[in-house]
Amino acid sequence: MDLFLQSLISGIMTGGVYAIIALGLTLIFGVMRIINMAHGEFLMIGMYISYFSYTLFHIDPFISIVISAPLTFLLGVVIYRFVVSRSQNEENSLILTAGLSLVLANTALLLWSPDYRHLKVPYGTEVVKLGNISVSLPMLISFLITIAITLLLYWFLNKTDLGLAIRASAQESEAATVMGINVKKIAMITFGIGAAFASISGSLLAPALYAYPTIGTLFLVKAFVVVVLGGMGSVEGALIGGIILGVTESLGSVYISTGMTDAFGLILFLLILLFRPSGLFGTATR
Amino acid sequence: MLKVNHLQAFYGDIQALWDISFEVQEGEIVSLIGANGAGKTTTLKSVAGLIQNKKGEITFKGEDITEKNGFEMAGAGISYVPEGRKVFPQMTVYENLVLGSYNPRAKSDRENMLEQVYQMFPRLKDRHKQHAGTLSGGEQQMLAIGRGLMSKPDILLLDEPSLGIAPILVQEIFEKIKEINQEGMTILLVEQHVHHALELSDRAYVIEHGEIAVSGTAEEMLNDERVREAYLGI
Ligand SMILES: Nc1ncnc2c1ncn2[C@@H]1O[C@H](COP(=O)(O)OP(=O)(O)OP(=O)(O)O)[C@@H](O)[C@H]1O
Ligand SMILES: [Mg+2]
């Protein structure tokens, strides 16, 4: 029973990070109807920013979020402005962002070599005891940050004019224009926010995983699974989808096989596509 | 107040408007009448800056606005209430109205405008927490008009406000339009219910195949042989 609870909780915690990755993807899709194939690369960049912040300047990876998030936001804005906004339709943007993904991954390969890099924080192996269950300290911190960021996003989208403008652009872009919203500018900002979310999750994962230039693909696939689970374009869906994926992986690796962790998500993905093609919760909400 | 001169408009290679000229004076209700596909919506959208590919000249309050972007129009004082309402379906009634006052000149007066809109459409106040997508067609139209008013416009462009609405509500909508006008709002109206529209209007223009075919006061139109035959079914 303890083992079950233990892996359940660790699954929920990992799921929080997956949710953040998927939130970025789903926001971009909601506003622009673009599936950003380069999403994982922004995560990779976040990991490297945290890695170098720590090794060069001794900045804690969780604190380096305040560096990685704004930097990747700007990078996302620039890339949107000069590359992504040029595509005229969905097929083009799919190919364009897929190309972008290759360019970013290969640039990282050139700059930082294919070496696996590990960010070792001193408290990396510390655990927090909750009764019979122990939770890794970095994981707990990262989960708390995830919750804070999700609440912040929720507040932003519901209570600020800019957030309302993002949702309005996603739901009825022409009516949004009539309201005085510059939808192209909103798209650019949203792309930046999406990129920042990917990189924040990269920073959160940095103490737990090895960073390498092509790690993005793995997490792009995970983000797809989450989004398919929760429905494209939904904040709540991304959260629930992320947690389902995290728990599935965690239970699967404990009770079935550790080596197959990353495969469980794909199996889940196939099952959902076969039986609930519009996601677990029916039609997508925005 | 609004002057349109020899307007032509295009969707890609397809020309939708060939020669549209008309004007609206301050305080008037002016109707645009025409068959399906005649170009009424295209005309309103051109004025609202939602169609980039156009020729001719549009001036508003003496300023040339032909090249302005759609998102600049709310700030300039033009509010387009689209055909089919186009409310934000997954946002509450309140959020829809707040977005109406997104432009800076309306934002500072948001609370006040909200009060006025709720007073005019009490039903919106009752349902302010409800998602717009769950409202009836008539309520959505009230919301679309209310949202349009929230931007504190100088002119309201109404595109088929009675489209797809229960007959009992149609009368109510027309009364509201009259009320809004009596409070001083200039209105450019497109309507399928031609009779209703003409009774409400000061003047009207008939659009046929992207050109102005007939124009005159509402009374002249109601008596015009061609208009009666083609649009009033008499
Ligand atoms: N997005 C578009 N792409 C191409 N052609 C269009 C588009 N929208 C309208 N048209 C064409 O432009 C012409 C004018 O259309 P418009 O919508 O302005 O007519 P309307 O008078 O508003 O008609 P209705 O009474 O049906 O609303 C029509 O021939 C229509 O087929
Ligand atoms: Mg029309």
Side-chain angles (χ1 to χ4, degrees):
Chain A
M1 193 60 200
D2 281 354
L3 180 64
F4 175 78
L5 271 182
Q6 176 88 46
S7 43
L8 186 70
I9 285 178
S10 98
I12 290 172
M13 295 194 164
T14 320
V17 183
Y18 293 165
I20 297 282
I21 309 172
L23 277 176
L25 195 70
T26 214
L27 264 182
I28 293 174
F29 179 81
V31 173
M32 285 157 269
R33 297 290 177 275
I34 284 178
I35 295 174
N36 178 20
M37 300 294 286
H39 198 59
E41 275 59 46
F42 290 108
L43 178 144
M44 174 270 294
I45 291 168
M47 281 186 104
Y48 274 101
I49 291 176
S50 289
Y51 175 81
F52 287 115
S53 300
Y54 187 72
T55 48
L56 301 178
F57 308 111
H58 304 289
I59 299 171
D60 183 274
F62 294 118
I63 292 174
S64 66
I65 287 174
V66 300
I67 305 169
S68 67
L71 276 182
T72 37
F73 173 82
L74 284 180
L75 182 66
V77 163
V78 168
I79 286 178
Y80 182 79
R81 172 73 183 70
F82 293 103
V83 185
V84 182
S85 67
R86 294 183 185 236
S87 81
Q88 300 296 322
N89 57 48
E90 285 162 34
E91 295 80 31
N92 279 355
S93 70
L94 204 64
I95 296 167
L96 200 71
T97 55
L100 189 64
S101 153
L102 286 176
V103 170
L104 291 173
N106 281 291
T107 308
L109 206 59
L110 270 176
L111 288 175
W112 304 315
S113 84
D115 293 349
Y116 282 54
R117 295 171 194 257
H118 189 203
L119 194 171
K120 253 199 206 109
V121 285
Y123 53 87
T125 52
E126 275 179 42
V127 291
V128 179
K129 287 262 180 207
L130 306 163
N132 284 335
I133 295 152
S134 48
V135 179
S136 123
L137 181 62
M139 208 170 204
L140 184 63
I141 299 174
S142 117
F143 184 64
L144 294 176
I145 294 175
T146 330
I147 291 176
I149 286 171
T150 311
L151 290 175
L152 194 69
L153 178 73
Y154 201 81
W155 170 82
F156 170 72
L157 288 177
N158 287 290
K159 298 293 174 208
T160 68
D161 271 24
L162 184 57
L164 287 183
I166 289 176
R167 290 167 61 211
S169 305
Q171 292 175 26
E172 276 292 347
S173 87
E174 194 168 81
T177 305
V178 172
M179 302 299 109
I181 297 165
N182 183 345
V183 175
K184 278 186 190 153
K185 198 167 124 196
I186 292 291
M188 189 166 81
I189 293 171
T190 308
F191 200 85
I193 295 176
F197 268 63
S199 98
I200 289 172
S201 38
S203 294
L204 293 177
L205 290 168
L209 295 178
Y210 288 96
Y212 55 94
T214 54
I215 193 170
T217 317
L218 177 67
F219 284 94
L220 180 68
V221 172
K222 288 190 202 285
F224 279 156
V225 178
V226 172
V227 161
V228 166
L229 276 167
M232 200 64 158
S234 155
V235 172
E236 297 86 347
L239 208 58
I240 298 169
I243 287 173
I244 294 177
L245 176 62
V247 169
T248 308
E249 283 186 359
S250 169
L251 293 181
S253 69
V254 168
Y255 291 104
I256 303 172
S257 153
T258 319
M260 280 173 59
T261 309
D262 293 326
F264 294 123
L266 288 173
I267 295 166
L268 203 60
F269 187 65
L270 288 176
L271 289 177
I272 297 283
L273 282 184
L274 281 174
F275 297 108
R276 293 298 309 249
S278 59
L280 279 187
F281 313 105
T283 52
T285 54
R286 288 175 219 144
Chain B
M1 179 179 249
L2 175 69
K3 232 186 186 133
V4 173
N5 253 324
H6 301 298
L7 176 68
Q8 301 182 37
F10 306 80
Y11 293 104
D13 293 335
I14 304 163
Q15 183 156 6
L17 300 183
W18 294 85
D19 187 9
I20 300 283
S21 300
F22 68 93
E23 61 179 299
V24 184
Q25 310 284 350
E26 194 167 345
E28 277 190 314
I29 300 189
V30 171
S31 280
L32 299 178
I33 295 162
N36 286 82
K40 306 177 298 289
T41 296
T42 309
T43 304
L44 293 192
K45 280 193 178 178
S46 299
V47 173
L50 297 171
I51 290 174
Q52 297 307 323
N53 197 353
K54 54 188 189 280
K55 288 183 192 146
E57 191 189 35
I58 306 172
T59 57
F60 183 62
K61 294 191 287 184
E63 189 196 352
D64 185 347
I65 57 161
T66 321
E67 298 300 323
K68 269 201 165 134
N69 281 305
F71 65 85
E72 294 170 308
M73 293 303 184
I78 295 177
S79 184
Y80 171 56
V81 179
E83 183 178 322
R85 309 177 282 267
K86 304 288 160 62
V87 294
F88 304 113
Q90 273 121 18
M91 296 173 100
T92 63
V93 167
Y94 171 78
E95 288 172 328
N96 269 270
L97 292 174
V98 163
L99 278 162
S101 60
Y102 184 83
N103 79 84
R105 75 175 215 162
K107 199 174 285 187
S108 53
D109 206 17
R110 183 173 283 171
E111 294 308 315
N112 187 18
M113 286 310 296
L114 202 58
E115 203 50 52
Q116 286 187 33
V117 168
Y118 280 155
Q119 207 160 17
M120 174 161 290
F121 302 109
R123 220 185 288 237
L124 294 183
K125 188 170 190 178
D126 298 341
R127 301 178 179 250
H128 73 279
K129 281 186 180 158
Q130 199 170 321
H131 275 189
T134 65
L135 298 176
S136 76
E139 290 163 347
Q140 285 189 9
Q141 188 62 56
M142 291 174 193
L143 178 56
I145 295 174
R147 185 182 65 180
L149 289 172
M150 286 294 294
S151 71
K152 297 190 77 181
D154 297 317
I155 189 170
L156 201 56
L157 317 179
L158 297 175
D159 198 344
E160 308 220 12
S162 73
L163 188 74
I165 286 176
I168 21 164
L169 280 177
V170 171
Q171 194 55 43
E172 193 180 333
I173 295 274
F174 277 108
E175 272 159 23
K176 293 296 180 191
I177 294 172
K178 194 167 179 179
E179 201 179 314
I180 293 166
N181 173 251
Q182 278 165 353
E183 283 171 18
M185 183 66 65
T186 310
I187 293 175
L188 178 57
L189 175 67
V190 165
E191 250 306 320
Q192 294 283 353
H193 287 89
V194 176
H195 200 93
H196 267 116
L198 287 178
E199 281 185 339
L200 209 66
S201 303
D202 297 297
R203 295 186 301 108
Y205 295 81
V206 174
I207 301 180
E208 280 172 5
H209 308 296
E211 292 184 44
I212 299 287
V214 191
S215 69
T217 65
E219 209 173 273
E220 284 167 1
M221 295 297 218
L222 281 167
N223 295 319
D224 187 289
E225 207 51 39
R226 280 170 63 194
V227 174
R228 286 168 72 91
E229 213 168 287
Y231 303 106
L232 295 169
I234 304 172

